Each structure stands twice: as structure tokens, then as C-alpha cells.
Amino acid sequence: MDSINNIGNQDTYKKTTYVKSLKKALDILEYFTEENPEWGISDLSRVTGLYKSNIYNILLTFELSGYIQKNNQNGKYRLGFKFLDKSYIVSRHLTDTEIIHEALLDLSRDIPETIYYAILSQNSAIYLDAVFPSPSRFMPFVNGITAPLYCTGLGKALLSMCEDSFIKSVMLESDIKRFTDTTITDYEEMKKEIAITRKRGYSIDNMEHEYGVKCVSVPILDRKGNLNGAISASGPSLRFTDDIIEKYAELLIKTASELKNKL
Amino acid sequence: MDSINNIGNQDTYKKTTYVKSLKKALDILEYFTEENPEWGISDLSRVTGLYKSNIYNILLTFELSGYIQKNNQNGKYRLGFKFLDKSYIVSRHLTDTEIIHEALLDLSRDIPETIYYAILSQNSAIYLDAVFPSPSRFMPFVNGITAPLYCTGLGKALLSMCEDSFIKSVMLESDIKRFTDTTITDYEEMKKEIAITRKRGYSIDNMEHEYGVKCVSVPILDRKGNLNGAISASGPSLRFTDDIIEKYAELLIKTASELKNKL
DNA sequence: AAACGGTGTTCTTCAATAAAGAACGATATG
DNA sequence: CATATCGTTCTTTATTGAAGAACACCGTTT
């Protein structure tokens, strides 16, 4: 099985033949976030501007298939276990995961920080693996976390391998938030940043997403040169001096080039 | 957050107000299985009996939202990474997982077999955690595996806490396959089996799903008596003698009763 | 006890659009 | 070179998604 290069198919948006009722229903699922996992019919109606009966019918249909389930304790709706089922099928067929996990473990011996692996999906990076410097810093459920592309090391590493038109659409058409005072929110500035990243071979997250957290990341390509994902080392800014960042970058680049022959 | 007792809402099926185009689209996703992860438009059209243009538009819409992605190498479609994203939100809010994982680890000290935890979702058990007797028997990606209810230890333990009408619908309205010569495919026989399970307090999988694999399982209830899930010990039939099964059952029941006060 | 404001749910009615069906160009096959 | 099959596009019409009002229900408040 080959690696998958999904650059979030922007062209598809221009087509008009998509099923509008389906798109609308899928858009409703986006309201069920980590911060807001449960919704009532009326709340969703208010926030979407759709009629209650409309929301009701859509949620009922999702419930029918297990994608939404009703919390009988409070009558509210939440995402259903069916997503676990489906996500299993997705991850099961990412055959390169064992190879990449080995590479992360190797890196972890030289880098006493958290090592991440993420892939590109639509306008986000999705974490698929992580290795922690010590058991105490272990985080359950990293798999599936989504992170923005424009303000993370992994994101910018992924972007550096994408076409300029995609970078443009991310900066101009997707939701851009200023998380810290170093967050890059301007398209022209991002163009320069990506140019530097491409030339240098690695990306740096200079506390652009979280104060006090820095990160260095490189893209992973497969044998054919297609983008597979990105790996990163991430930790407290105090430990991430320029020297250290450069040292980690070299290690990451070495791993990336080794992986290129295996994927 | 309370435990969720989803018994696959059979009543919903009787309602006619659901969104048919959405249901149809969601049904198409079911064709993307572990065995058959990739589909072309024509193949799906053949197997579903729907028009190619219809399938095309639906897949296009799913692709738009990241639930389907096209494999550019062979032009076929597969499930998208969006499911990973959503499954993360689902598992993130299963707050009892840490407590249950601790319980599995404890059990693992007394039982040198694979210990599973699964919950009920629709007509399936979904694995949410596993602890392995040795690192060599480690299996990545257990989370999200679905297993049938009628022929697994976990499934029958879950069923034993469900209403009879649900058991009936599982046996008569869902897809029942004979995996081995001990698989229970008849509703009347299952009624007896569940009666025994309820009386005994634990279920036994006597190679009903796989030759050579036996399993013993008990349901997990929360403080209020609602079904949370089930835990099991599973391994080669040669090691699962009647004595051993009874011993493991006692340990599982002890764990279940301890969990009852914590959930 | 009665009135209120909130909820999720049901019903009907009509305009929107999902889906049928044919046709397209591209690619593969023999 | 002809045939088969693929994904994709187009148009047409009958289905049905969604508006909108009304419903029953449950707590609070009056």
C-alpha cells in the first residue's frame, strides 16, 4: 500500500454536484468538538440558523447509524462510537505506521523531548503517533488530535511540501486565529516563512501556538517523493535554544532521509 | 460524566422522519471495511444497485469533508482521516477509561492472557482497551475493533444486561454468520444461553467465533446499575480448561464489582 | 394551581434538489 | 484497432428535504 498524499482537495469545492443535504449534515458534526462535545437540538438550531425540525431529523439519522448518540442522562446528543469503528479501519490500513514508530523510538534515544508524527488532512495536521521522553509525561489518546497548519512546527513542515495555491487557501480561506504574538496570520509573511523552511529543510514553531512551547519539524517523503507526513520534536522553550534546535533538526532530517527509502 | 448505555436504539428505525439521502450516504460508508478498504465508483454502484452518478456525488461530498479520500495511485476511494479526528473527540470524553485501564492492568497480574475492555454500540461490541500478557503478543490498534455480539464472550456479557427485545432484534434482524460449529445462530438457543449467563454471572465463548480461541467475560455496570461495558480474558482453548475459566471468572467478577463503585 | 419559558418532537405543505439515465472522454485490454 | 470499462458530466423530473407552525412535556416562577 502506498502512502497517501491528501492535500485537502481544494478543487472539489468548486464543483457544484455535491449532495447539499449530506454536506449540511456533515457540517453539523463539526459542532461536536472537544470543548463542546454535547449539544441539544435547540442549541444547534440557534448556532447553525437551521430549523429545529431540520436538525432533529439529521441527528436522528446519524443516531440510526451510530454516528450520534443521545445521552439519556441529560437528553443531549454527542458523537457516537461508530467513529471509533471507522477510525480503526482507517488506521489499520496505514501500513507504514510500524516503520515510523520504530523511527520515533530511535529518535527518542537522542532527543529527550516528545516526538510526534502527524499527517496532513484537509486544513489540519492529525497526530498519528507520539513517543514521550519519560512515562510520567505520557499522554493517552494522542492519535487523532488535530492541530492547525499555520502555527505549528508539524503544520509548517507539511505546508512546505504543498503547492503555493494550497498554502494560499489555508491562509486566506480557512479560519486563522492569533494564539500568541508570534503567530503568523498574514499570507505574505507565511510565504516568506515557508520559503525559509524549504531552503533550510526544517520548520520551527517559535511559540506560535502556545506560549513556552517550541518545536522543530521536518516533512517525511516516500520513495516517490510524495508527502507522507511530518515528524517533530517539541518541548519547553527554555530548553529549545538555537543550538539545540539545529542539533535536533539534523537528527530529524537524518531520520526523514532514512524513512524515504523505506516508505 | 456518566456512562453511556447505548443499546443501538431500535425504536429509531420505526420512525420515518429520518433524512433518507443521509442514511443512504452513511450506508455506503459501511462498504469500506477492513477486508475491503478501497472501492471504485463502478464497484460500489454494482454492489449497492445505485447509479454511478449517485455514488459519485455522495463520495464527492464525503471527500469534501474529509470522510472519504481518493487514492491517487489507483483512483479508488477509501475512508478519510476525518474519522481519526472525530474518534479522538469520542474517546476523549470517555472519562472512565483511566479507571478501567488500571483495572485491566491489575487483572493482568493474575491472569496471563489478553484482557479486553469493550462497550456496546449498535449491534456490535467495540474494543476500547486491551492489556497483553507479554510485549511479544502486543497488537497495535485494538481500539475501535468491532466484534459481533452473538458469538463472543464480550458480546454475550453485554447482551446479558440488555432487554430481551434487543437480544431478539440482534438475533433475528441483524446479520448472523456461522463462524464455527459452536456458533449460536438460533434465537431460542441464544435465549437459553443468555439465561445461563445471567444466572452464572459471566459468559463463555466456547470457540464460537474462532477455532482454538476461548474467552470468559463479565459485564461492567456503573453505580446506578447501568451497563457500561464488559471485560474479558481470552486465549488459546488448550489453556482455557473449565477450572481455569471458573478461576478467571471469579477474578473478573471481583474487578467488576470493584468498578461498580468507581463508575 | 396556574401561567410561563424552555425543551425535544410531530405534522403538513411546497419548493428545492436528489437521483435517474444517458452520454461523455479517458484509459486499459485483447 | 475495436471493445470494454472506468470516472465524470449533464439534463430532466419526481422525490423529499426543509420551513413553519403546533405539539406535549418538564421545571420554575408567580
Side-chain angles (χ1 to χ4, degrees), chain B residues 8-223:
Chain B
N9 214 337
Q10 296 294 315
D11 298 335
T12 322
Y13 283 89
K14 285 156 196 160
K15 304 195 178 167
T16 52
T17 57
Y18 67 89
V19 185
K20 279 152 207 165
S21 67
L22 176 57
K23 183 68 169 65
K24 179 196 277 189
L26 296 177
D27 286 345
I28 289 173
L29 293 179
E30 295 307 302
Y31 287 91
F32 295 85
T33 61
E34 202 183 336
E35 296 76 28
N36 259 325
E38 293 195 332
W39 287 86
I41 303 284
S42 299
D43 289 337
L44 268 177
S45 168
R46 251 187 300 277
V47 81
T48 58
L50 299 171
Y51 273 81
K52 281 202 299 177
S53 56
N54 196 351
I55 299 278
Y56 176 77
N57 288 331
I58 289 168
L59 290 191
L60 190 80
T61 312
F62 275 127
E63 193 187 6
L64 214 60
S65 295
Y67 290 100
I68 285 285
Q69 62 195 183
K70 201 174 174 178
N71 184 342
N72 288 322
Q73 253 92 83
N74 58 14
K76 296 203 179 293
Y77 292 84
R78 53 163 67 193
L79 295 180
F81 295 132
K82 191 55 154 281
F83 284 106
L84 293 173
D85 176 14
K86 288 284 169 286
S87 73
Y88 171 72
I89 297 171
V90 175
S91 29
R92 197 84 198 91
H93 290 277
L94 297 168
T95 48
D96 300 330
T97 44
E98 288 86 3
I99 299 167
I100 284 159
H101 188 70
E102 283 301 318
L104 297 198
L105 285 174
D106 286 347
L107 271 172
S108 184
R109 276 175 215 121
D110 296 324
I111 304 180
E113 303 288 351
T114 307
I115 317 287
Y116 290 106
Y117 168 64
I119 48 99
L120 181 64
S121 173
Q122 306 227 106
N123 291 330
S124 303
I126 297 188
Y127 289 75
L128 288 187
D129 202 354
V131 171
F132 303 89
S134 69
S136 66
R137 303 249 295 285
F138 175 75
M139 248 172 70
F141 300 125
V142 270
N143 287 32
I145 293 183
T146 41
L149 295 175
Y150 60 95
C151 62
T152 61
L154 287 163
K156 292 194 290 180
L158 292 168
L159 277 183
S160 75
M161 287 295 141
C162 292
E163 290 172 24
D164 293 337
S165 64
F166 179 67
I167 298 169
K168 188 173 180 179
S169 79
V170 166
M171 293 308 291
L172 299 180
E173 287 163 39
S174 76
D175 206 27
I176 304 288
K177 280 182 208 146
R178 173 172 290 284
F179 291 98
T180 70
D181 53 9
T182 53
T183 307
I184 301 173
T185 57
D186 179 60
Y187 170 50
E188 292 301 325
E189 206 185 328
M190 181 57 77
K191 260 166 69 175
K192 286 178 202 161
E193 172 77 5
I194 294 298
I196 293 168
T197 302
R198 282 177 179 153
K199 200 170 173 184
R200 187 172 53 192
Y202 60 93
S203 70
I204 297 172
D205 169 9
N206 183 30
M207 307 192 277
E208 293 156 37
H209 189 42
E210 248 184 284
Y211 280 114
V213 176
K214 287 196 181 184
C215 172
V216 50
S217 174
V218 302
I220 300 292
L221 307 180
D222 65 14
R223 197 174 275 118

Side-chain angles (χ1 to χ4, degrees), chain A:
Chain A
M1 204 166 302
D2 297 286
S3 61
I4 301 149
N5 183 8
N6 179 0
I7 58 156
N9 214 337
Q10 295 296 314
D11 298 335
T12 322
Y13 284 89
K14 285 158 197 159
K15 304 196 179 169
T16 53
T17 57
Y18 67 88
V19 185
K20 278 153 208 166
S21 66
L22 176 56
K23 183 66 168 64
K24 180 196 276 190
L26 295 177
D27 286 344
I28 288 173
L29 293 179
E30 294 307 302
Y31 287 91
F32 296 85
T33 61
E34 201 183 337
E35 295 76 29
N36 260 324
E38 293 195 331
W39 287 87
I41 303 283
S42 299
D43 290 337
L44 268 177
S45 168
R46 254 187 297 278
V47 82
T48 58
L50 300 170
Y51 274 81
K52 281 202 297 177
S53 56
N54 197 349
I55 300 279
Y56 175 77
N57 288 331
I58 290 167
L59 291 192
L60 190 81
T61 312
F62 276 127
E63 194 187 6
L64 215 60
S65 296
Y67 291 101
I68 286 284
Q69 62 195 183
K70 203 174 174 178
N71 184 343
N72 288 323
Q73 252 92 81
N74 57 14
K76 295 202 180 293
Y77 293 84
R78 55 162 68 191
L79 295 180
F81 294 132
K82 191 54 155 282
F83 284 106
L84 293 173
D85 174 14
K86 287 284 169 287
S87 74
Y88 171 71
I89 296 170
V90 175
S91 30
R92 196 83 196 92
H93 291 277
L94 297 168
T95 48
D96 300 331
T97 44
E98 287 86 3
I99 298 168
I100 284 159
H101 189 70
E102 283 301 316
L104 296 198
L105 285 173
D106 286 347
L107 271 172
S108 184
R109 276 174 215 124
D110 297 325
I111 303 180
E113 302 288 352
T114 307
I115 317 286
Y116 289 107
Y117 167 64
I119 48 97
L120 181 63
S121 173
Q122 305 227 108
N123 291 330
S124 303
I126 297 188
Y127 289 75
L128 287 188
D129 202 354
V131 171
F132 303 89
S134 69
S136 66
R137 303 250 295 286
F138 175 76
M139 250 172 70
F141 299 127
V142 271
N143 288 30
I145 292 184
T146 41
L149 294 175
Y150 61 94
C151 62
T152 61
L154 288 163
K156 292 194 291 182
L158 293 168
L159 277 182
S160 74
M161 287 295 141
C162 293
E163 289 173 24
D164 292 338
S165 63
F166 178 67
I167 299 168
K168 189 173 180 178
S169 79
V170 167
M171 294 308 291
L172 300 179
E173 287 162 40
S174 77
D175 206 27
I176 304 288
K177 281 184 206 145
R178 174 171 291 284
F179 291 98
T180 71
D181 53 7
T182 52
T183 306
I184 300 173
T185 57
D186 179 62
Y187 170 48
E188 291 301 326
E189 205 184 329
M190 181 57 78
K191 260 167 67 176
K192 286 178 204 161
E193 173 76 6
I194 294 298
I196 293 168
T197 301
R198 283 176 179 155
K199 199 169 172 186
R200 188 171 50 192
Y202 60 92
S203 70
I204 297 172
D205 169 8
N206 183 31
M207 307 191 279
E208 292 155 40
H209 188 41
E210 249 183 283
Y211 280 113
V213 176
K214 287 195 182 185
C215 173
V216 50
S217 175
V218 303
I220 300 293
L221 307 181
D222 65 14
R223 197 175 276 117
K224 294 174 189 166
N226 291 325
L227 179 63
N228 171 288
I231 53 177
S232 76
S234 162
S237 56
L238 283 177
R239 291 206 293 264
F240 275 65
T241 60
D242 289 352
D243 288 353
I244 287 287
I245 286 176
E246 203 174 319
K247 184 188 151 198
Y248 289 171
E250 277 171 32
L251 289 163
L252 291 170
I253 289 169
K254 184 162 157 276
T255 301
S257 74
E258 284 164 7
L259 282 171
K260 196 171 186 321
N261 302 316
K262 296 180 188 165
L263 300 177

